[in-house]
Amino acid sequence: MAKKLLMGNEAIALGAMRAGVSVVTGYPGTPSTEILETVAKHNDGKFYVEWSVNEKIALEVAAGAAYAGARSMVTMKQVGLNVASDPLMSLNYIGIKGGMVIVVADDPGPISSQTEQDTRHFGKYAKIAVFDPSTPEEAYTMVADAFDHSEKYGRPVILRPTTRVCHSCASVEILENIPKKVPEGFEKNSRWVIFPKLSYENKIKIEDNLRKMSDDFSGYERNFITGNGRKGIATGGVSYSYVSEALNNPSVGFDSVSENESVSTLSSGCKLMKISTSPFPQKLALEFLQGLDEVLVVEELDPVIENELIYLCGLHNLKVKIYGKLTGHIKNAGENTVDSVIAAVRSFLGENMNANFENQANLITKAEEDASASTNTNASTDSLTEPPELPIRPPVLCAGCPHRASFFAVKEATKGLNAVYSGDIGCYTLGNAMPLNMVDTCLCMGAGITVAQGLHRVEQNRINFAFIGDSTFFHTGIPGIINAVYNQTDIIVVILDNSTTAMTGHQPHPGLGKTMMGNISDVISIYDVVSSLKVTKIVRANPFDTEAAKNAVNAVINEKGVRVILYEAPCIFVTKSKEPYVVDTEKCTGCKICINKLGCPAIEMDGKKARINPTLCTGCGICADVCKFGAIGGKRND
Amino acid sequence: MTNILIAGVGGQGTVLASKLIAAAAMSKDFEVRTTETIGMAQRGGCVVSHIRMGSKINSPLISRKNAHAIIGFEPAEAVRILPYLSDDGLMIVCDTAMKPVTSSLKGDTYKGSDMIDYLKKNVKKLVIIDGEKLLKECGNAKTLNVALLGTAVESGVFPFNADEMKNVLRDTLPQRFLEINLNSFEIGRRMYNETRNAG
């Protein structure tokens, strides 16, 4: 059949649709978001798709569908699984009827996350099988394998891609659909009600299953051994593709290698094992370890494969040296790159590996640090001369972003006051940057409101603000407000409602009245929700109306209890821009107040005068309020 | 195997350019892998697209000194990615500097000409495209990516020709933007030849 260029996330979505998934739920989070969006985009009415309010809810909705015998899939990023961990742990005890795949996208780096956690651990902890694809095309067929495995054991399964699989594209061969079974429906039975006695009985089955799964996986085609020799490399995930590249790289020592030869013929002199699953395929790994003196384990995030091999060596009294993250030969933070892996494989297979290995590890780290600093990717071995100083391009709030206006208003209104500003997860975390400097804490989804309460318990002389976005408010913000009201805490919650889930690419949420099925639903008004929570006072304002926005702060600052400011203005990506503002160069004194107070990327200095870049300016107009000389003008955006 | 890197700044259309290259290679039955390395910044951050075309491609990332060609949409980003260019690789660079969005806050020392001078000293096969002239001729900053694609196609680094690329443009781009993009593509091709002849 035809080949298509697919992003890994698209491949996972199409693979699930091919495998007969019926219900798909999730919460947006980089790098997982496009999976659910792709299913929604290709939905011909045969699939149910929803953005749930948070990951716990998403997992539970998908679990219910699987109870009724349908194949279901739930998507999230790695930190989302922390939110969903409660149902995850219990669900494995209860089990499912229809196949259920929990897609959890890990983010080595981390590139766009709070943590670098490894979901393979979560799988082990929850005693749930994990499938770990290396490429988009492998992910495409692996989804079907995961559904089959899930139904065979009657347990949920995790599919764990990483950023470099989710967001890279490959030519993928599109296969025939697998015939879809009609769900049998939910059967009333005591097996669905979790009780200690049932959990004890099921724990015995789970442990037994784990052993059977390990044996299954020793024969699974995605776990395999190639090549032979006294040295071995064990790898998985995207690192497998880097190792394959390294074994094809002439600098590693495999001379006159043609592009068309497969890895198996190339890795003569080196045994290679690819691991794509957990539970660990112990029988396969023992076969791999047979006759080896040394093994290099190349994986991202945590040393999962490495620990399994060390355990096996101990258990079977094998004298094989295992090198990897625990020995400092593979870095233990950040993404692997093809270059870092080539360097590690080269020294592992090189003549003087033992003598130089530690140094080599340091060299790799050094080269990677240079690369990630994005200032100079020049390795010390390169012949290039030292480049001129390269510009740093940090993330900033967009020109015209309503969050800038909100932060600015609160900052101006609380000038001189002893205030602490707690932030949350979303674009508005960027309010931490100078010159706004309005985010003092940020922990995880919904934690701004609750951390502010704890801070205030200790220092009641300070004013505690908590900023939260609209999607985060629905995700985990509401219980925090209820807690503050119930426990009579004095905090000011500032809700930044920009009418979208901006950071992950503009997904709808309950406040917008749109669903992923294309339906119009009732809008759940944030104002009405908060009003019903018995807060002391709630004020709403347009943040671009600087005076009104500052007055909103003034109206609540001297009150007690939980006060809420609701700033409402849409993200620039979901609304039309107004005419750009312009600087009157006659009036502009070049004082730079507009630049130094707002940090708007549309305002720059052109010689001794400020200039507004018309391609970036959205006409939000707050700079006109900042200018003391009336030098900035245009049509207001209110 | 053909390894191509596109380096630029978020918003310049590098990702679309890489998708168009991938589609053209797919139309000739090559296997393709692409990936992007993107900094934290969504808009205005560094973006590098890796595009690999051939058969039996392993890594989506291109290793150092292994790019056959780099298309630098921006001079500093071209310098940043230079260690990935092979010793006899081709660098096409647009000389228009994009200042970082924070330059007005932090004071601005970045000059595109310093980067171009550095490239002249360190790259054997260098084609510098006059960005101001290109923009003037194309008349729309949003088609610069397709124009630069035109320069690269004309250099012969891709495993497909200009007509095959144009077929992809026709298949991929929305009708209302097609004419202006095809026009920019031809301008890019012509400027590549003019620059080569002048150089």
Side-chain angles (χ1 to χ4, degrees):
Chain A
M1 293 202 59
K3 281 200 169 190
K4 255 177 118 170
L5 186 74
L6 294 182
M7 185 199 268
N9 281 343
E10 293 173 312
I12 292 168
L14 297 183
M17 294 169 87
R18 165 181 173 259
V21 74
S22 295
V23 172
V24 182
T25 64
Y27 186 80
T30 311
S32 70
T33 311
E34 297 86 358
I35 303 170
L36 190 142
E37 287 180 327
T38 301
V39 179
K41 191 175 141 194
H42 291 93
N43 193 357
D44 52 5
K46 293 188 185 122
F47 305 90
Y48 174 75
V49 191
E50 72 169 39
W51 282 129
S52 309
V53 166
N54 64 38
E55 294 86 352
K56 170 177 152 65
I57 291 169
L59 196 144
E60 290 158 355
V61 172
Y67 283 7
R71 284 194 163 184
S72 70
M73 180 166 78
V74 50
T75 74
M76 63 193 72
K77 66 184 296 176
Q78 90 284 28
V79 287
L81 190 61
N82 302 341
V83 178
S85 61
D86 195 4
L88 176 85
M89 301 303 291
S90 306
L91 182 63
N92 198 39
Y93 280 76
I94 287 294
I96 39 79
K97 195 154 71 173
M100 176 168 170
V101 175
I102 303 162
V103 185
V104 185
D106 280 356
D107 182 21
I111 296 170
S112 186
S113 302
Q114 304 95 295
T115 68
E116 239 206 336
Q117 65 196 59
D118 192 322
T119 296
R120 293 176 299 171
H121 282 311
F122 236 128
K124 283 192 82 172
Y125 181 43
K127 301 179 187 293
I128 289 177
V130 180
F131 286 74
D132 185 12
S134 298
T135 60
E137 61 269 34
E138 188 173 57
Y140 176 72
T141 52
M142 201 178 256
V143 184
D145 299 340
F147 274 116
D148 288 345
H149 182 91
S150 171
E151 282 172 2
K152 178 176 175 185
Y153 287 95
R155 314 258 162 225
V157 163
I158 293 172
L159 178 78
R160 192 288 305 243
T162 56
T163 305
R164 202 52 73 197
V165 174
C166 292
H167 283 171
S168 70
C169 297
S171 18
V172 178
E173 193 173 340
I174 302 299
L175 304 171
E176 294 275 0
N177 280 352
I178 296 165
K180 194 169 175 171
K181 281 180 278 184
V182 179
E184 286 171 20
F186 177 72
E187 276 176 275
K188 294 191 180 192
N189 187 310
S190 61
R191 68 169 278 204
W192 303 114
V193 184
I194 199 159
F195 269 112
K197 185 171 175 289
L198 181 76
S199 295
Y200 171 76
E201 290 162 5
N202 284 347
K203 175 85 188 292
I204 294 168
K205 286 184 204 157
I206 289 168
E207 294 294 344
D208 185 43
N209 280 346
L210 289 175
R211 277 189 294 275
K212 286 183 184 151
M213 287 179 193
S214 171
D215 289 350
D216 275 8
F217 287 151
S218 282
Y220 178 46
E221 58 178 355
R222 301 285 163 192
N223 294 324
F224 56 81
I225 301 168
T226 57
N228 47 59
R230 301 194 67 82
K231 286 181 180 179
I233 298 174
T235 183
V238 74
S239 297
Y240 167 72
S241 74
Y242 302 151
V243 170
S244 304
E245 190 78 19
L247 296 177
N248 275 285
N249 189 309
S251 70
V252 178
F254 296 97
D255 292 333
S256 64
V257 160
S258 116
E259 276 178 14
N260 295 324
E261 278 181 88
S262 69
V263 176
S264 55
T265 58
L266 289 169
S267 46
S268 55
C270 171
K271 220 168 170 181
L272 178 69
M273 177 171 68
K274 178 184 189 290
I275 296 294
S276 308
T277 63
S278 167
F280 195 66
Q282 293 193 350
K283 285 181 180 161
L284 183 82
L286 278 173
E287 194 188 313
F288 169 71
L289 290 167
Q290 213 65 52
L292 292 181
D293 299 325
E294 295 169 314
V295 172
L296 176 69
V297 187
V298 187
E299 60 194 317
E300 280 180 328
L301 301 171
D302 290 339
V304 174
I305 299 171
E306 189 178 345
N307 272 320
E308 295 280 5
L309 289 175
I310 292 168
Y311 166 80
L312 273 186
C313 287
L315 195 67
H316 296 272
N317 203 15
L318 301 175
K319 286 215 167 115
V320 185
K321 273 194 174 171
I322 311 287
Y323 299 102
K325 288 171 182 279
L326 297 171
T327 55
H329 295 102
I330 298 290
K331 61 202 187 109
N332 56 14
E335 271 194 295
N336 285 340
T337 67
V338 66
D339 289 300
S340 72
V341 172
I342 287 173
V345 170
R346 184 191 294 152
S347 47
F348 176 65
L349 297 179
E351 292 285 313
N352 300 314
M353 187 290 273
N354 283 325
N356 292 325
F357 220 80
E358 288 295 334
N359 288 340
Q360 191 60 42
N362 293 338
L363 254 182
I364 297 162
T365 316
K366 170 84 175 62
E368 285 311 306
E369 275 167 5
D370 287 349
S372 61
S374 291
T375 48
N376 178 10
T377 48
N378 200 347
S380 51
T381 50
D382 278 354
S383 55
L384 300 172
T385 57
E386 191 68 26
E389 193 187 334
L390 291 164
I392 298 164
R393 304 186 190 272
V396 288
L397 293 170
C398 301
C401 175
H403 299 328
R404 175 179 292 103
S406 301
F407 284 127
F408 175 67
V410 176
K411 184 171 183 153
E412 288 287 302
T414 57
K415 204 182 273 176
L417 297 177
N418 190 2
V420 178
Y421 310 98
S422 291
D424 219 302
I425 307 288
C427 288
Y428 49 98
T429 316
L430 295 174
N432 75 322
M434 295 303 280
L436 292 169
N437 191 21
M438 283 294 282
V439 178
D440 296 321
T441 73
C442 180
L443 183 67
C444 64
M445 291 288 281
I449 293 171
T450 37
V451 165
Q453 294 167 43
L455 288 169
H456 196 73
R457 289 288 167 209
V458 180
E459 293 183 291
Q460 299 192 354
N461 59 324
R462 301 180 97 163
I463 303 167
N464 288 94
F465 282 86
F467 292 90
I468 189 165
D470 41 354
S471 192
T472 311
F473 169 82
F474 288 111
H475 181 278
T476 33
I478 298 169
I481 298 178
I482 294 173
N483 188 67
V485 174
Y486 169 55
N487 290 301
Q488 301 168 312
T489 324
D490 295 326
I491 58 165
I492 299 172
V493 177
V494 184
I495 302 172
L496 306 170
D497 182 357
N498 65 351
S499 299
T500 188
T501 315
M503 187 117 190
T504 46
H506 316 292
Q507 290 74 30
H509 61 63
L512 301 172
K514 276 179 292 187
T515 73
M516 286 308 270
M517 295 299 286
N519 301 330
I520 302 299
S521 66
D522 281 339
V523 171
I524 298 174
S525 148
I526 295 176
Y527 183 87
D528 290 349
V529 170
V530 176
S531 299
S532 71
L533 298 180
K534 309 287 179 207
V535 297
T536 308
K537 200 164 192 177
I538 171 165
V539 198
R540 66 211 294 186
N542 175 355
F544 292 125
D545 182 342
T546 308
E547 274 314 299
K550 283 196 273 190
N551 286 338
V553 180
N554 295 333
V556 299
I557 197 114
N558 294 318
E559 306 270 342
K560 288 279 169 198
V562 180
R563 293 138 289 165
V564 178
I565 299 167
L566 178 54
Y567 284 132
E568 296 165 307
C571 171
I572 61 162
F573 288 102
V574 297
T575 188
K576 268 199 167 167
S577 292
K578 300 278 161 70
E579 284 288 303
Y581 273 48
V582 283
V583 175
D584 183 339
T585 48
E586 294 283 303
K587 289 183 186 167
C588 178
T589 64
C591 72
K592 289 196 186 177
I593 281 181
C594 52
I595 288 170
N596 292 332
K597 282 206 166 179
L598 298 174
C600 174
I603 313 177
E604 56 201 25
M605 289 304 284
D606 186 10
K608 290 195 168 153
K609 307 281 179 183
R611 177 181 170 270
I612 295 176
N613 182 334
T615 60
L616 289 177
C617 179
T618 66
C620 84
I622 52 168
C623 52
D625 294 334
V626 172
C627 181
K628 288 181 177 164
F629 305 97
I632 302 178
K635 283 182 195 160
R636 283 210 66 97
N637 186 12
D638 43 34
Chain B
M1 179 90 73
T2 308
N3 294 332
I4 305 289
L5 288 167
I6 304 179
V9 171
Q12 286 191 306
T14 52
V15 177
L16 176 65
S18 78
K19 287 213 153 59
L20 293 169
I21 294 168
M26 294 264 304
S27 75
K28 300 256 314 190
D29 287 332
F30 288 104
E31 225 180 77
V32 178
R33 279 194 198 286
T34 73
T35 194
E36 267 87 36
T37 51
I38 300 178
M40 261 289 282
Q42 293 194 350
R43 280 182 147 191
C46 316
V47 183
V48 177
S49 290
H50 297 236
I51 307 134
R52 313 191 70 194
M53 298 161 277
S55 64
K56 303 255 184 223
I57 310 162
N58 293 304
S59 162
L61 291 170
I62 295 165
S63 55
R64 283 174 203 212
K65 284 189 173 290
N66 264 305
H68 296 100
I70 294 176
I71 313 170
F73 279 38
E74 204 279 345
E77 297 316 310
V79 171
R80 216 189 294 273
I81 200 66
L82 187 57
Y84 287 81
L85 188 66
S86 64
D87 289 336
D88 55 354
L90 168 71
M91 166 76 82
I92 298 172
V93 61
C94 177
D95 70 358
T96 307
M98 304 283 286
K99 289 179 185 178
V101 285
T102 49
S103 65
S104 53
L105 267 176
K106 299 204 166 145
D108 186 20
T109 54
Y110 167 40
K111 284 207 287 290
S113 55
D114 291 347
M115 300 296 156
I116 296 295
D117 289 344
Y118 174 80
L119 290 173
K120 281 180 182 164
K121 281 188 204 120
N122 286 280
V123 182
K124 272 184 263 169
K125 291 187 198 164
L126 179 68
V127 176
I128 302 162
I129 300 295
D130 181 337
E132 213 169 294
K133 191 174 163 206
L134 187 67
L135 177 62
K136 208 172 152 195
E137 291 201 25
C138 293
N140 186 337
K142 292 202 167 124
T143 65
L144 282 183
N145 56 349
V146 172
L148 288 168
L149 211 53
T151 63
V153 167
E154 205 58 17
S155 76
V157 292
F158 296 133
F160 47 80
N161 63 31
D163 286 336
E164 287 155 346
M165 186 74 247
K166 280 197 278 189
N167 286 338
V168 168
L169 294 179
R170 287 190 195 97
D171 290 345
T172 320
L173 299 176
Q175 195 58 40
R176 62 185 193 281
F177 301 130
L178 183 60
E179 199 57 39
I180 182 163
N181 275 294
L182 284 173
N183 189 39
S184 295
F185 183 75
E186 293 301 333
I187 292 164
R189 290 179 69 190
R190 201 186 68 231
M191 272 189 72
Y192 177 85
N193 289 321
E194 285 169 7
T195 310
R196 291 288 285 177
N197 294 338

